């Protein structure tokens, strides 16, 4: 992935350190750590802080496909890992303040599943899916795909960090069953990330991972960062399991609305296949995720119950916050992308150019 444009002093300093010819020096990283400390102390809301969320996203990216011109050896550089941990602490604290966790159920598979299904059914967050189904314009569909591309083009990867972190047994087997489907059952053309790229291509969008990173707001990055936070920290294996369970349980019905919205504007089955596939697959996955993954993990490790429910509630909370911002922009005839105030700006920037190049940091 290309290194994006910085969004403030922290991300600018990080990118300078990552691309230094001799690598990041101890003194440079010490200075950056102090910059991070001050920024974390001064931010009004780390979940919406463009500079800090981009910095954390790029530090996490070192553990995924990496950043162009950044040596692979820096993935586990102690100074960079230290910066990641320095950002993770206030980020996790902010999530725990923002996310409302319901009263904990009994630590049994059926009780956990019942509570997860209740949470999903009671979710009254803003419905982007219904807006897409009935009102969204072509330009808004493009924006919708751009916002989702930050995760969907690497779909399943953050949750896969949990595989070696779960104990051998019911929960691990359930996770692998779900992930095998996400990765196409061994068929590259069936991988969900590939299917999403096909949908993007059908709307004239670029499909390279991270192409539109400069265009997405902090909350979108925070949603991706929450998955990486949960997945990369073994102590949060309950949270990543609950996150995936809620992710699957809140997917099937919205995807049916997304498919309807794309067909309403004349797109064919090739474009809607990604959504159609999720309607069917996630209806099955939700049962496995609720009972066998989340419920099975709690039965094996009852002490993880609170984090399982926290991870699930995080999905609902962040989706609601992102949905509110997205719908408010569209209903006011504004773009939901960064730096694109006029409606339809996405379409103008997509005329043979990278959309990101037209975004003001």
């Amino acid at each position: 992935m290309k290194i994006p444009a910085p969004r403030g002093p922290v991300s600018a300093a990080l990118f300078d350190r990552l691309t230094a010819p001799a690598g990041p020096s101890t003194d440079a990283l010490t200075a950056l750590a102090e910059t991070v400390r001050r920024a974390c102390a001064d931010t009004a809301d780390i979940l919406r802080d463009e500079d800090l969320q981009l910095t954390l996203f790029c530090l996490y990216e070192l553990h995924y496909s990496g950043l162009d011109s950044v040596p692979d050896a820096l993935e586990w550089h102690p100074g960079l890992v230290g910066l990641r941990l320095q950002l993770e602490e206030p980020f996790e604290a902010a999530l725990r303040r923002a996310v409302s966790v319901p009263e904990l159920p009994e630590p049994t598979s059926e009780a956990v599943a019942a509570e997860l299904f209740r949470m999903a059914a009671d979710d009254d967050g803003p419905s982007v899916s219904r807006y897409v189904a009935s009102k969204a314009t072509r330009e808004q569909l493009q924006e919708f795909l751009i916002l989702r591309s930050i995760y969907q083009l690497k779909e399943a990867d953050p949750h896969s960090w949990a595989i070696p972190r779960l104990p051998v047994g019911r929960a691990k087997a359930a996770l692998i069953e779900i992930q095998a489907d996400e990765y196409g059952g061994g068929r590259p053309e069936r991988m969900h990330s590939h299917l999403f790229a096909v949908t993007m291509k059908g709307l004239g969008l670029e499909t390279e991972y991270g192409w539109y990173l400069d265009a997405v707001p902090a909350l979108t990055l925070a949603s991706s960062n929450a998955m990486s936070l949960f997945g990369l920290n073994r102590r949060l294996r309950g949270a990543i399991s609950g996150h995936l369970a809620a992710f699957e349980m809140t997917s099937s019905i919205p995807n049916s609305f997304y498919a309807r919205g794309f067909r309403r504007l004349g797109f064919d089955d090739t474009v809607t296949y990604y959504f159609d596939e999720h309607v069917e697959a996630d209806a099955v996955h939700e049962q496995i995720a609720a009972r066998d993954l989340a419920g099975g993990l709690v039965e094996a490790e009852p002490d993880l119950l609170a984090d399982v429910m926290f991870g699930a509630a995080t999905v609902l909370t962040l989706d609601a916050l992102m949905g509110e911002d997205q719908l408010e922009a569209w209903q006011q005839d504004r773009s939901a992308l960064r730096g694109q105030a006029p409606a339809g700006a996405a379409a103008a920037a997509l005329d043979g150019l990278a959309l990101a190049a037209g975004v003001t940091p």
Side-chain angles (χ1 to χ4, degrees), residues 163-188:
I163 294 174
R165 291 167 167 79
L166 297 188
V168 173
R170 183 180 177 188
K172 184 190 285 282
L175 176 58
I176 292 173
E177 181 177 357
I178 294 169
Q179 297 303 83
D181 284 347
E182 301 289 341
Y183 291 118
R187 297 169 58 187

Side-chain angles (χ1 to χ4, degrees), residues 232-248:
L232 278 167
N233 287 278
R234 183 178 177 275
R235 65 182 177 83
L236 294 172
R237 61 194 180 280
I240 193 63
S241 300
H243 188 286
L244 179 56
F247 203 82
E248 297 293 335

Side-chain angles (χ1 to χ4, degrees), residues 98-177:
V99 173
S100 178
V101 179
E103 184 175 346
L104 299 182
E106 293 296 313
T108 67
S109 174
E110 286 305 313
V112 168
E115 179 59 19
L116 289 173
F117 278 112
R118 185 202 64 76
M119 291 168 62
D122 289 352
D123 179 26
D124 59 356
S127 181
V128 173
S129 63
R130 292 182 184 276
Y131 185 96
V132 167
S134 61
K135 298 179 180 179
T137 64
R138 178 189 173 93
E139 290 77 16
Q140 288 169 343
L141 293 186
Q142 289 175 318
E143 291 191 0
F144 166 76
L145 293 176
I146 287 169
L147 291 167
R148 289 174 65 98
S149 70
I150 300 305
Y151 167 71
Q152 274 6 117
L153 289 178
K154 65 176 179 185
E155 185 170 352
D157 287 355
H159 297 112
S160 292
W161 291 115
I163 294 174
R165 291 167 167 79
L166 297 188
V168 173
R170 183 180 177 188
K172 184 190 285 282
L175 176 58
I176 292 173
E177 181 177 357

Side-chain angles (χ1 to χ4, degrees), residues 16-243:
D16 284 344
R17 274 51 167 187
L18 289 176
T19 56
S25 68
T26 299
D27 288 346
L29 287 176
T30 299
L32 178 53
E34 176 59 22
T35 302
V36 169
R37 185 195 65 78
R38 291 196 303 268
C40 289
D42 293 344
T43 186
D45 181 1
I46 194 171
L47 301 183
R48 295 180 182 273
D49 191 302
E50 300 287 349
D51 193 21
L52 294 180
Q53 288 299 331
L54 180 64
T55 300
L56 185 55
F57 182 88
C58 289
L59 287 169
Y60 281 139
E61 197 57 36
L62 298 178
H63 300 291
Y64 289 101
S65 58
L67 298 169
D68 291 354
S69 303
V70 176
D72 291 345
L74 291 185
E75 177 184 1
W76 292 109
H77 188 291
L80 295 174
V81 172
L83 289 174
R84 196 193 87 204
L85 297 175
Q86 193 178 355
L87 285 164
E88 283 183 340
E89 183 177 357
F91 178 48
E92 181 181 348
L95 286 173
R96 291 190 182 275
R97 289 193 300 269
V99 173
S100 178
V101 179
E103 184 175 346
L104 299 182
E106 293 296 313
T108 67
S109 174
E110 286 305 313
V112 168
E115 179 59 19
L116 289 173
F117 278 112
R118 185 202 64 76
M119 291 168 62
D122 289 352
D123 179 26
D124 59 356
S127 181
V128 173
S129 63
R130 292 182 184 276
Y131 185 96
V132 167
S134 61
K135 298 179 180 179
T137 64
R138 178 189 173 93
E139 290 77 16
Q140 288 169 343
L141 293 186
Q142 289 175 318
E143 291 191 0
F144 166 76
L145 293 176
I146 287 169
L147 291 167
R148 289 174 65 98
S149 70
I150 300 305
Y151 167 71
Q152 274 6 117
L153 289 178
K154 65 176 179 185
E155 185 170 352
D157 287 355
H159 297 112
S160 292
W161 291 115
I163 294 174
R165 291 167 167 79
L166 297 188
V168 173
R170 183 180 177 188
K172 184 190 285 282
L175 176 58
I176 292 173
E177 181 177 357
I178 294 169
Q179 297 303 83
D181 284 347
E182 301 289 341
Y183 291 118
R187 297 169 58 187
E189 73 278 7
R190 299 273 303 188
M191 291 177 66
H192 288 183
S193 56
H194 172 74
L195 297 179
F196 189 81
V198 171
T199 297
M200 293 185 71
K201 187 175 181 180
L203 271 79
L205 297 171
E206 294 289 340
T207 61
E208 179 182 334
Y209 172 65
W211 184 270
Y212 296 108
L213 182 56
D214 286 323
V216 303
L219 270 179
T220 300
L221 300 180
S223 178
S224 178
N225 287 341
M227 299 183 217
S228 298
L229 168 70
F230 297 162
L232 278 167
N233 287 278
R234 183 178 177 275
R235 65 182 177 83
L236 294 172
R237 61 194 180 280
I240 193 63
S241 300
H243 188 286

